[in-house]
Amino acid sequence: MAAAVAAVGEAAAAAAAKKRGASRSWILIDASGEERVLDADKYAIMHRVDINARDLRILDPLLSYPSTILGRERAIVLNLEHIKAIVTSEEVLLRDPSDENVIPVVEELRRRLAPSGASHLDGKDNLSGQHDGEGAEEDESPFEFRALEVTLEAICSFLDARTTELETDAYPALDELTSKISSRNLDRVRKLKSGMTRLTARVQKVRDELEQLLDDDDDMADLYLSRKLAGASSPISGSGGPNWFPASPTIGSKISRASRASAATIHGNENDVEELEMLLEAYFMQIDGTLNKLTTLREYIDDTEDYINIQLDNHRNQLIQLELFLSSGTVCLSLYSLVAGIFGMNIPYTWNDDHGYVFKWVVLVSGLFCAFMFVSIVAYARHKGLVGS
């Protein structure tokens, strides 16, 4: 018995250790599109990307935090549903890479973050000027913006797909409920409405975060990591990147491009956040469209509920009418029973002798009087509009 308890304890401890290890698992994707798995604790991650513990706490999968996009001095902290990432000017750290919802994001990051000219480096030096111009144009977008675009596209597509699935299930269920009100259909619609409420809250949080960023130019400026890196390194010639930044063969070109972008924005300060604003605006419109779909679905559900309530009220009114008819008939029959009870008493009285022929008249007159009373009650109820015609 003791051995079994010990085995169970060891298994539980191993499972807990495995869970803790999985929660610390990160995948790193650099500017060349290469990836590697990091099994580092939070202190190593904090030192690597230069963020605070409270920022890293936002990415803890065991804690519930709303969708957040934070711009720090040397990193962008992203908490968008299942996408929990840290973006620097040269690499992306993504949490829980084994999650089934995160795997497509990792593949897309690896594909989109790889240099556009990487496939042309092996002996193909005779590229046309047109291709060089296109490559230079593609390289103008900073690394952190490309990573941010991938994550925003992934989360917007994910929420839109969940909304489409909900619409596919909800509209037929609502139509079936309007045609047949049953406990099964009501329970099905109740579950769909609960799922819609939760999904709407998730979409609303992402939309609010994007709207908050778009309303504040300073917050958007904090997301320009390459420009801040170039501004910090420009007074020191030949010093390379800061000591927190991993060595990379492309860092010189990255810094030079960021330096040129920073120098260009000195003369056009009003366009500092134009590129990022256009990027955020595009995905804000997409997530707003998803929210509009959910709003339309909620309105359809509300209309269906109103229709169901009208039907139930109509059935309730029909039951009230039936109850009125039955109550009126009961009152009339009770009067008829009163006459029968009076004449059925076993009390001797003289006028009962030799008057047997009166029985049929008593029965006939009592029946006619009760029927007349019932018709009068129904006619009065119809006249006052208490029952339908």
Side-chain angles (χ1 to χ4, degrees), residues 17 25 29 41 51 58 74 90 100 102 107-108 113-114 146 152 171 209 228 234 287 316 324:
S25 180
I29 305 175
D41 57 13
I51 61 174
I58 297 175
R74 295 173 177 173
E90 194 69 26
E100 60 179 2
V102 179
E107 296 176 353
E108 187 67 14
L113 297 182
R146 286 184 285 150
L152 289 176
Y171 284 114
E209 183 62 25
K228 291 189 292 185
S234 57
I287 201 69
R316 193 178 299 112
L324 176 62

Short mmCIF file of all heavy atoms in Angstrom, two decimals, residues 17 25 29 41 51 58 74 90 100 102 107-108 113-114 146 152 171 209 228 234 287 316 324:
data_model
loop_
_atom_site.label_atom_id
_atom_site.label_comp_id
_atom_site.label_asym_id
_atom_site.label_seq_id
_atom_site.Cartn_x
_atom_site.Cartn_y
_atom_site.Cartn_z
N ALA A 17 6.27 18.61 -12.46
CA ALA A 17 7.55 19.11 -12.99
C ALA A 17 7.49 19.27 -14.50
O ALA A 17 8.01 20.24 -15.06
CB ALA A 17 8.67 18.17 -12.60
N SER A 25 8.82 26.71 -21.48
CA SER A 25 9.34 26.44 -22.81
C SER A 25 9.06 27.62 -23.74
O SER A 25 7.93 28.10 -23.81
CB SER A 25 8.70 25.16 -23.36
OG SER A 25 9.20 24.88 -24.64
N ILE A 29 12.83 32.69 -32.68
CA ILE A 29 12.95 32.83 -34.13
C ILE A 29 13.68 34.13 -34.40
O ILE A 29 13.23 35.20 -33.99
CB ILE A 29 11.57 32.83 -34.81
CG1 ILE A 29 10.77 31.57 -34.42
CG2 ILE A 29 11.71 32.93 -36.32
CD1 ILE A 29 9.37 31.56 -34.96
N ASP A 41 14.36 29.88 -17.53
CA ASP A 41 13.47 30.40 -16.51
C ASP A 41 13.20 31.88 -16.78
O ASP A 41 13.75 32.49 -17.69
CB ASP A 41 14.04 30.17 -15.12
CG ASP A 41 15.42 30.81 -14.95
OD1 ASP A 41 15.79 31.61 -15.83
OD2 ASP A 41 16.09 30.50 -13.96
N ILE A 51 13.23 43.21 -19.78
CA ILE A 51 11.90 43.62 -19.35
C ILE A 51 11.75 43.34 -17.87
O ILE A 51 12.57 42.62 -17.27
CB ILE A 51 10.79 42.90 -20.14
CG1 ILE A 51 10.87 41.39 -19.93
CG2 ILE A 51 10.83 43.26 -21.62
CD1 ILE A 51 9.72 40.64 -20.56
N ILE A 58 2.55 38.93 -17.39
CA ILE A 58 1.40 39.00 -18.31
C ILE A 58 1.35 37.78 -19.22
O ILE A 58 0.28 37.34 -19.65
CB ILE A 58 1.48 40.30 -19.13
CG1 ILE A 58 1.39 41.51 -18.20
CG2 ILE A 58 0.40 40.36 -20.18
CD1 ILE A 58 1.58 42.83 -18.92
N ARG A 74 13.37 47.93 -25.19
CA ARG A 74 14.04 47.05 -26.16
C ARG A 74 13.19 45.86 -26.55
O ARG A 74 13.71 44.90 -27.11
CB ARG A 74 15.36 46.56 -25.58
CG ARG A 74 16.37 47.68 -25.37
CD ARG A 74 17.59 47.21 -24.64
NE ARG A 74 18.59 48.27 -24.52
CZ ARG A 74 19.70 48.17 -23.81
NH1 ARG A 74 19.95 47.04 -23.16
NH2 ARG A 74 20.55 49.17 -23.74
N GLU A 90 15.40 42.03 -33.32
CA GLU A 90 16.17 41.02 -34.04
C GLU A 90 15.65 39.61 -33.84
O GLU A 90 16.05 38.69 -34.55
CB GLU A 90 17.63 41.09 -33.58
CG GLU A 90 18.63 40.35 -34.45
CD GLU A 90 18.82 40.98 -35.81
OE1 GLU A 90 18.58 42.20 -35.94
OE2 GLU A 90 19.20 40.27 -36.75
N GLU A 100 -1.29 23.55 -30.04
CA GLU A 100 -1.79 23.34 -31.41
C GLU A 100 -2.19 24.65 -32.08
O GLU A 100 -2.16 24.75 -33.31
CB GLU A 100 -2.99 22.40 -31.37
CG GLU A 100 -4.17 22.89 -30.55
CD GLU A 100 -5.34 21.94 -30.58
OE1 GLU A 100 -5.20 20.87 -31.21
OE2 GLU A 100 -6.37 22.26 -29.97
N VAL A 102 -0.56 27.50 -31.51
CA VAL A 102 0.65 28.29 -31.66
C VAL A 102 1.52 27.76 -32.81
O VAL A 102 2.27 28.52 -33.43
CB VAL A 102 1.45 28.30 -30.34
CG1 VAL A 102 2.73 29.10 -30.48
CG2 VAL A 102 0.59 28.89 -29.22
N GLU A 107 5.14 28.56 -37.68
CA GLU A 107 5.45 28.31 -39.09
C GLU A 107 5.36 29.59 -39.93
O GLU A 107 6.20 29.85 -40.79
CB GLU A 107 4.51 27.24 -39.64
CG GLU A 107 4.69 25.87 -38.97
CD GLU A 107 3.68 24.86 -39.47
OE1 GLU A 107 2.76 25.27 -40.23
OE2 GLU A 107 3.79 23.67 -39.11
N GLU A 108 4.34 30.40 -39.64
CA GLU A 108 4.19 31.64 -40.40
C GLU A 108 5.29 32.63 -40.06
O GLU A 108 5.80 33.33 -40.95
CB GLU A 108 2.81 32.25 -40.10
CG GLU A 108 2.45 33.45 -40.95
CD GLU A 108 2.26 33.11 -42.41
OE1 GLU A 108 2.13 31.91 -42.74
OE2 GLU A 108 2.24 34.05 -43.23
N LEU A 113 9.53 35.90 -41.61
CA LEU A 113 10.66 36.64 -41.08
C LEU A 113 11.98 36.31 -41.77
O LEU A 113 12.98 36.98 -41.54
CB LEU A 113 10.80 36.38 -39.57
CG LEU A 113 9.63 36.84 -38.71
CD1 LEU A 113 9.91 36.57 -37.25
CD2 LEU A 113 9.33 38.32 -38.94
N ALA A 114 11.98 35.24 -42.57
CA ALA A 114 13.21 34.90 -43.29
C ALA A 114 13.53 35.99 -44.31
O ALA A 114 12.63 36.59 -44.90
CB ALA A 114 13.05 33.55 -43.99
N ARG A 146 7.21 43.38 -38.82
CA ARG A 146 6.84 42.15 -39.53
C ARG A 146 6.38 41.07 -38.55
O ARG A 146 5.42 40.35 -38.81
CB ARG A 146 8.02 41.66 -40.36
CG ARG A 146 8.29 42.49 -41.62
CD ARG A 146 9.41 41.90 -42.44
NE ARG A 146 10.71 42.16 -41.82
CZ ARG A 146 11.76 41.35 -41.95
NH1 ARG A 146 11.64 40.23 -42.62
NH2 ARG A 146 12.90 41.66 -41.36
N LEU A 152 -0.64 39.69 -35.25
CA LEU A 152 -1.97 40.30 -35.38
C LEU A 152 -2.80 39.58 -36.43
O LEU A 152 -4.00 39.35 -36.25
CB LEU A 152 -1.83 41.77 -35.75
CG LEU A 152 -1.31 42.70 -34.65
CD1 LEU A 152 -1.12 44.11 -35.19
CD2 LEU A 152 -2.26 42.71 -33.46
N TYR A 171 -27.01 29.94 -36.60
CA TYR A 171 -28.16 30.31 -37.42
C TYR A 171 -29.10 29.13 -37.68
O TYR A 171 -30.33 29.28 -37.54
CB TYR A 171 -27.68 30.93 -38.73
CG TYR A 171 -27.19 32.35 -38.57
CD1 TYR A 171 -25.85 32.68 -38.79
CD2 TYR A 171 -28.04 33.37 -38.19
CE1 TYR A 171 -25.39 33.98 -38.62
CE2 TYR A 171 -27.60 34.68 -38.03
CZ TYR A 171 -26.27 34.97 -38.24
OH TYR A 171 -25.82 36.25 -38.07
N GLU A 209 -7.65 47.01 -27.25
CA GLU A 209 -6.21 47.21 -27.16
C GLU A 209 -5.67 47.90 -28.41
O GLU A 209 -4.85 48.82 -28.33
CB GLU A 209 -5.51 45.87 -26.95
CG GLU A 209 -4.01 45.95 -26.77
CD GLU A 209 -3.60 46.75 -25.54
OE1 GLU A 209 -4.42 46.83 -24.59
OE2 GLU A 209 -2.48 47.28 -25.52
N LYS A 228 14.73 53.14 -31.94
CA LYS A 228 15.32 53.42 -30.63
C LYS A 228 16.70 52.81 -30.50
O LYS A 228 17.60 53.40 -29.90
CB LYS A 228 14.38 52.88 -29.52
CG LYS A 228 13.08 53.66 -29.41
CD LYS A 228 12.28 53.25 -28.19
CE LYS A 228 11.74 51.85 -28.29
NZ LYS A 228 10.86 51.50 -27.16
N SER A 234 23.93 55.31 -32.20
CA SER A 234 24.54 56.25 -33.14
C SER A 234 25.69 57.06 -32.57
O SER A 234 26.65 57.33 -33.28
CB SER A 234 23.46 57.19 -33.70
OG SER A 234 22.81 57.88 -32.64
N ILE A 287 -10.61 43.19 -37.06
CA ILE A 287 -11.19 42.71 -35.80
C ILE A 287 -12.52 43.41 -35.54
O ILE A 287 -13.42 42.84 -34.91
CB ILE A 287 -10.19 42.94 -34.64
CG1 ILE A 287 -10.53 42.03 -33.46
CG2 ILE A 287 -10.18 44.37 -34.19
CD1 ILE A 287 -10.27 40.58 -33.71
N ARG A 316 -49.77 31.13 -23.92
CA ARG A 316 -50.26 31.42 -22.58
C ARG A 316 -51.65 32.05 -22.64
O ARG A 316 -52.53 31.72 -21.82
CB ARG A 316 -49.28 32.34 -21.87
CG ARG A 316 -49.50 32.47 -20.38
CD ARG A 316 -48.45 33.37 -19.74
NE ARG A 316 -47.12 32.82 -19.91
CZ ARG A 316 -46.18 33.34 -20.66
NH1 ARG A 316 -46.43 34.45 -21.36
NH2 ARG A 316 -44.99 32.78 -20.76
N LEU A 324 -60.77 30.18 -18.95
CA LEU A 324 -61.99 30.97 -18.80
C LEU A 324 -63.21 30.18 -19.21
O LEU A 324 -64.25 30.17 -18.51
CB LEU A 324 -61.87 32.25 -19.63
CG LEU A 324 -63.10 33.16 -19.67
CD1 LEU A 324 -63.45 33.66 -18.27
CD2 LEU A 324 -62.89 34.33 -20.62
#
